[in-house]
Amino acid sequence: MPNITVDARGTPIIVIVDNKATRSRLREFTTKEVETLNWIDGFEPKSTFFDVGANVGSYTLYAAARNHEVVAFEPSDANWGRLRENVGLNGLQDRVRIFGYALADFDGKDLQHLGRKSHGGVGSAEHSIGRKVVRNGEPASYGGEQENTAVRTMDSVCAELGIWPDYLKIDTDGAEPRIIAGATEALKRCKSLVVEIDNRIADHLGLPERIEAMGFKITFDKRRQGGRWGGCGNMHFARVV
C-alpha cells in the first residue's frame, strides 16, 4: 500500500492511499473543510479532542500532531483498521485512543447500514446506525451489507474513561441528533464543537437551536444553499462564557 506524506500546514503527516476514497481524503489536509483545520489550530494547548466519525483519521492525525489528546470513534471495520494504521505510521499511539463502536443515545447494539456507493470499503462514508436515513423525502441508498455494532452514549464512555472533551467533532451522516442526546454531561464541559447538520433529514430540523439551548452560540455555518447537498454542511458552536 502506498504511503504519502502530506504537508499539513507545516507538519508532515503520513497516510496510506490505496483507492479513490482514501485519495479524496488527502484534500482534507489542504482544501476540504479548511474552516475545521482553522478550528483545530485554535485549540488551547494540550486539549482533549473527541473525533466522532473519524473515518481514516484526517482530523485525528492533524490534532494529535499538534500535541492534543484525541479520542476517536469509528464503527466501520474497514475505516477503523486504516485509522489504526495511519496513527501507527505517524507514531501517535500515545496521543490517540481509538474505539470501534458507534456513539448514540443508548448503550447496547444496533445495525450499521453501509453506503451503497462505497459498500464499506476503506475511506468510505455515508453509513447509518440503527435506521436508514431519509434525505429530501427519499431513503438514502444503502447496500446489502449490514454490521451488528456496539453503541454507547458519549456520557457513559466519558464516565468510564474519566476523560471529557474540550473540543468535539461529530460527522456521522445522520446520527448526530442521537449522539447529542447521549452527550448531555459531556457537552456541559465542552468548549466548542463542530457538527454536520443536514436539513434534508427530519431529525436535524431544529438541531442547531437545541445545541444553542445547551449553552452554545453559532460561530460558523457552512450549510450549502442549493444543489444536491443543499441544507447540508458543518456548523461550528462555541460555549457562551
Side-chain angles (χ1 to χ4, degrees):
M1 293 179 288
N3 299 341
I4 293 180
T5 300
V6 180
D7 180 2
R9 296 187 172 184
T11 300
I13 294 178
I14 307 168
V15 291
I16 299 172
V17 178
D18 57 353
N19 62 25
K20 182 177 180 180
T22 52
R23 282 195 298 273
S24 73
R25 300 295 167 191
L26 288 178
R27 295 185 293 116
E28 297 177 2
F29 289 107
T30 54
T31 60
K32 184 182 179 184
E33 299 188 16
V34 171
E35 73 283 352
T36 301
L37 299 184
N38 294 340
W39 174 64
I40 294 173
D41 285 343
F43 288 0
E44 294 182 6
K46 297 184 178 180
S47 292
T48 299
F49 170 50
F50 277 31
D51 189 357
V52 183
N55 203 278
V56 297
S58 298
Y59 301 114
T60 287
L61 297 171
Y62 190 79
R66 279 154 175 73
N67 296 312
H68 300 296
E69 181 179 5
V70 182
V71 181
F73 300 89
E74 177 50 58
S76 163
D77 288 344
N79 290 339
W80 175 85
R82 181 56 52 79
L83 173 59
R84 288 180 62 87
E85 290 176 314
N86 284 338
V87 168
L89 280 173
N90 289 276
L92 296 171
Q93 300 94 319
D94 291 342
R95 298 180 201 161
V96 180
R97 299 190 187 197
I98 304 171
F99 296 99
Y101 48 73
L103 295 183
D105 51 1
F106 72 101
D107 289 345
K109 289 185 177 293
D110 216 332
L111 285 177
Q112 180 177 188
H113 303 271
L114 302 180
R116 184 180 300 279
K117 179 179 179 181
S118 55
H119 292 283
V122 175
S124 64
E126 299 183 5
H127 307 323
S128 178
I129 302 294
R131 55 185 171 179
K132 295 186 176 182
V133 176
V134 177
R135 298 186 174 99
N136 281 334
E138 297 292 335
S141 179
Y142 296 95
E145 304 91 339
Q146 294 182 339
E147 299 175 5
N148 197 29
T149 187
V151 296
R152 299 282 305 274
T153 68
M154 189 181 302
D155 283 344
S156 68
V157 173
C158 289
E160 180 180 294
L161 297 176
I163 300 174
W164 302 84
D166 296 311
Y167 301 93
L168 169 64
K169 178 186 79 67
I170 307 176
D171 183 352
T172 55
D173 298 309
E176 289 82 0
R178 298 174 65 194
I179 294 168
I180 293 293
T184 303
E185 292 300 318
L187 287 170
K188 289 179 181 178
R189 311 180 189 214
C190 185
K191 296 173 183 175
S192 71
L193 65 154
V194 171
V195 183
E196 184 180 70
I197 305 291
D198 191 340
N199 292 340
R200 302 170 301 166
I201 302 172
D203 288 355
H204 281 228
L205 298 177
L207 182 57
E209 291 75 14
R210 293 200 295 275
I211 295 173
E212 286 183 295
M214 300 173 80
F216 295 90
K217 64 179 179 180
I218 298 170
T219 55
F220 191 92
D221 186 347
K222 200 183 177 183
R223 286 176 294 181
R224 298 165 181 82
Q225 297 302 308
R228 177 187 176 192
W229 298 101
C232 180
N234 284 337
M235 295 187 69
H236 293 209
F237 301 83
R239 177 158 296 285
V240 177
V241 178

